[in-house]
Amino acid sequence: MSSLIQGKFSKWETVIGLEIHAQIKSNSKLFSSSSTKFGSSPNSQVSLFDAAMPGMLPVINEFCIKQAVKTGLGLKAKINRYSVFDRKNYFYADLPQGYQISQYKHPIIGEGAVTIDFKDGSSKDIRIVRLHLEQDAGKSLHDQNPSKTYVDLNRSGVALMEIVSEPDLNSSHEASLYITKIRSILMYLDTCDGNMQEGSLRTDVNISVRKPGEELGTRCEIKNLNSIKFIKQAIEYEAMRQIKIIEEGGIIEQNTLLFNPQLGKTKPMRSKEEAHDYRYFPDPDLLPLKLEDDFIEIIKKDIPELPDERKKRYINEYKLSNYDSSVLTIEKSISDYFDKVLGCHQDLKKSAKLVVNWITSELFAILKKNEVEIHNSPITPYNLGQLVKLIISNKISGKIAKDVFEDMYKNSLSPEEIVNSRGLAQVTNVKEIELIIDQILKLNYDKVNDYKAGKTKLLGFFVGQAMQISKGKANPKILNDILIKKLS
Ligand code: ADP
Ligand code: MG
């Protein structure tokens, strides 16, 4: 994958490292038993600890630790037996403690890697530096009152995993594949719900540019992006901004930026000089976290088949391409659907590619049009398999199958019911097809003469006419064979 940008004078390479903040899927918060439910009325899920009342002590939520370890195992990363919670000190209206409990020098998870797949079948490994646990902050609400800002502390203390990558990404496309892959792994593991709109997965983008082979350039950091579309736009805008400055003889200042989606532009939030000194120090209320081997072993047993393993299984078992397999496996729900089709119909193993085509073209399109999730599809995996079998056995043509498919969706019927009640079965009876052909040849004897005089292109016309009369049901191969025989 080439990802060089042509500037005015020369070629530039974009260098990107991402910090992904993933909310841990857990009923209660990292250090308190308050609920984490999204969308509840403001400040209804706040314990005295979350509100930072004096003297309140954090109590670690073991389930959140398990979730982080599970995620580390899923990212093929090092699980650190020893980690430390630190206080990261800063002032903000939605941070009543005046510090965030995070992990600094000793994170719970160390180096790992994630593979991204390209359309041309190639792939690339993106290294992960670390994953650490931290508390989420509350939320300032600026839109409730024209002259006041309100604070909602429901999110205060919710467990986050911050997943930090090496600067191994070189384009907005690679960044989007990487985030999609991380989201996919977390959703397979069931350690994060992956809901970007609700803010369960937020990304800080670090970006610099350089000439290929040179040292890393000075980076800027774009804060808090929660959609892949905005991440791509922000990277593309920011890379061009940096290239322009350097080509005009300027230098890049290390700034923290915000992206404005309305304008499609980044703007400075603070410069390096104003950067925070967080004065990290170990939280005196929390002991270092020590993990026993058995604790990790038990979690290991709970790791499900992950997207890369499923992908390999599809390639080996069904001879699907690397790309088809990654399209299917990137969303667990799609892959589950495909597995169910083949689970119900062992005999479709050899025709798996046809099943994939029906899922990724017709099914995706109709679900998207109706804004329905695949796990709620009115066309069940069993019925989709039945439809594909009707095509393979020549019971119906591919064209009629599309019509049947629409009907299956609308009326939740099985394909056989539709084919039988609407009389759509393909005509393979030679005599029946001959009758139709005789009819159209008689009606078009002038064109028959033209054909015999050398205008063989007219074959398509005859096929079309005969198909029309058979209402699309004549078997195309038989129809063609008889026509050619009769015309010669
Ligand atoms: P900090 O702790 O100050 O945020 P880190 O060294 O931990 O800095 O890096 C944070 C993120 O920035 C990482 O994802 C890293 O890959 C990325 N990064 C570091 N240097 C660069 C660079 N020159 N260009 C792009 N990304 C970078
Ligand atoms: Mg940072």
Side-chain angles (χ1 to χ4, degrees), residues 61-329:
N61 179 345
E62 187 181 340
F63 182 70
C64 291
I65 304 297
K66 285 184 178 156
Q67 292 285 65
V69 169
K70 200 174 173 193
T71 305
L73 292 169
L75 298 174
K76 316 231 177 319
K78 184 164 167 263
I79 311 299
N80 291 327
R81 302 305 195 262
Y82 175 91
S83 67
V84 175
F85 287 102
D86 296 285
R87 289 189 182 177
K88 179 180 181 181
N89 300 283
Y90 63 98
F91 174 82
Y92 209 78
D94 57 22
L95 187 76
Q97 286 175 145
Y99 59 85
Q100 176 191 31
I101 304 178
S102 180
Q103 296 187 304
Y104 187 50
K105 285 209 179 105
H106 301 281
I108 186 165
I109 309 292
E111 299 86 4
V114 156
T115 307
I116 56 174
D117 293 293
F118 301 104
K119 215 168 185 162
D120 66 5
S122 64
S123 58
K124 177 173 173 181
D125 283 346
I126 309 301
R127 291 168 301 159
I128 286 168
V129 185
R130 59 191 268 150
L131 176 157
H132 63 258
L133 281 165
E134 62 185 30
Q135 299 175 293
D136 208 341
K139 219 182 208 169
S140 297
L141 308 172
H142 306 288
D143 54 0
Q144 309 284 308
N145 184 302
S147 58
K148 290 191 173 108
T149 290
Y150 294 142
V151 173
D152 175 9
L153 293 180
N154 280 352
R155 210 176 62 185
S156 168
V158 167
L160 295 180
M161 301 181 277
E162 179 169 333
I163 304 167
V164 184
S165 84
E166 290 284 0
D168 286 347
L169 299 156
N170 295 112
S171 67
S172 61
H173 180 57
E174 289 186 7
S176 82
L177 292 176
Y178 170 76
I179 296 168
T180 307
K181 188 62 175 279
I182 292 270
R183 178 171 177 271
S184 166
I185 294 171
L186 300 183
M187 289 174 77
Y188 272 72
L189 291 166
D190 207 27
T191 57
C192 171
D193 67 22
N195 193 327
M196 297 185 80
Q197 269 160 2
E198 290 179 2
S200 303
L201 210 72
R202 314 190 293 270
T203 303
D204 297 340
V205 175
N206 294 272
I207 171 168
S208 62
V209 297
R210 66 171 171 188
K211 304 262 176 67
E214 281 183 355
E215 298 272 292
L216 287 178
T218 304
R219 71 183 147 117
C220 286
E221 178 173 1
I222 313 166
K223 279 287 185 195
N224 217 15
L225 293 154
N226 72 345
S227 99
I228 289 181
K229 189 174 135 201
F230 294 157
I231 289 166
K232 287 175 86 170
Q233 286 175 354
I235 289 173
E236 275 153 35
Y237 174 83
E238 180 58 20
M240 283 316 296
R241 186 187 74 86
Q242 294 185 13
I243 291 169
K244 263 192 216 140
I245 290 176
I246 301 173
E247 292 204 336
E248 281 161 14
I251 49 162
I252 304 299
E253 285 175 52
Q254 185 174 340
N255 279 346
T256 303
L257 313 171
L258 284 177
F259 179 67
N260 180 330
Q262 274 86 44
L263 302 176
K265 289 180 179 176
T266 55
K267 69 163 202 288
M269 185 167 123
R270 56 174 183 255
S271 68
K272 198 185 179 188
E273 286 68 42
E274 305 160 48
H276 291 130
D277 179 353
Y278 295 114
R279 306 258 165 174
Y280 281 98
F281 66 88
D283 192 308
D285 292 335
L286 288 160
L287 288 169
L289 184 66
K290 290 179 184 156
L291 304 180
E292 305 282 342
D293 287 343
D294 328 349
F295 179 82
I296 298 168
E297 284 310 312
I298 292 171
I299 298 169
K300 246 183 212 165
K301 292 206 181 83
D302 206 24
I303 303 281
E305 184 185 39
L306 293 174
D308 284 346
E309 294 152 23
R310 271 205 189 177
K311 202 180 76 185
K312 275 194 201 119
R313 178 161 65 80
Y314 290 173
I315 294 171
N316 293 333
E317 241 177 82
Y318 304 129
K319 310 287 170 240
L320 294 177
S321 70
N322 186 43
Y323 184 71
D324 275 342
S325 306
S326 59
V327 169
L328 286 177
T329 51

Side-chain angles (χ1 to χ4, degrees), residues 1-7 10-15 170-171 174 210-213 240 243:
M1 268 298 291
S2 158
S3 41
L4 297 180
I5 299 177
Q6 183 69 54
S10 56
K11 290 200 160 102
W12 291 93
E13 182 182 55
T14 308
V15 176
N170 295 112
S171 67
E174 289 186 7
R210 66 171 171 188
K211 304 262 176 67
M240 283 316 296
I243 291 169

Side-chain angles (χ1 to χ4, degrees), residues 437 441 447-449 451-454 456 459 462 480-488:
I437 290 176
L441 294 184
K447 292 210 170 65
V448 173
N449 288 336
Y451 179 94
K452 286 186 175 157
T456 50
L459 185 68
F462 296 124
N480 249 299
D481 290 349
I482 300 177
L483 251 176
I484 290 172
K485 209 159 64 191
K486 293 222 176 217
L487 284 167
S488 62

Side-chain angles (χ1 to χ4, degrees), residues 354 358 362 387-388 390-392 394-405 424 426 467 472-476:
L354 193 56
W358 274 88
E362 303 303 318
L387 179 71
V388 172
L390 290 178
I391 303 166
I392 294 171
N394 274 328
K395 194 87 190 279
I396 57 174
S397 67
K399 201 162 166 231
I400 284 193
K402 287 191 182 167
D403 188 19
V404 173
F405 181 84
L424 294 174
Q426 187 158 240
M467 267 299 180
K473 291 185 295 188
N475 176 296

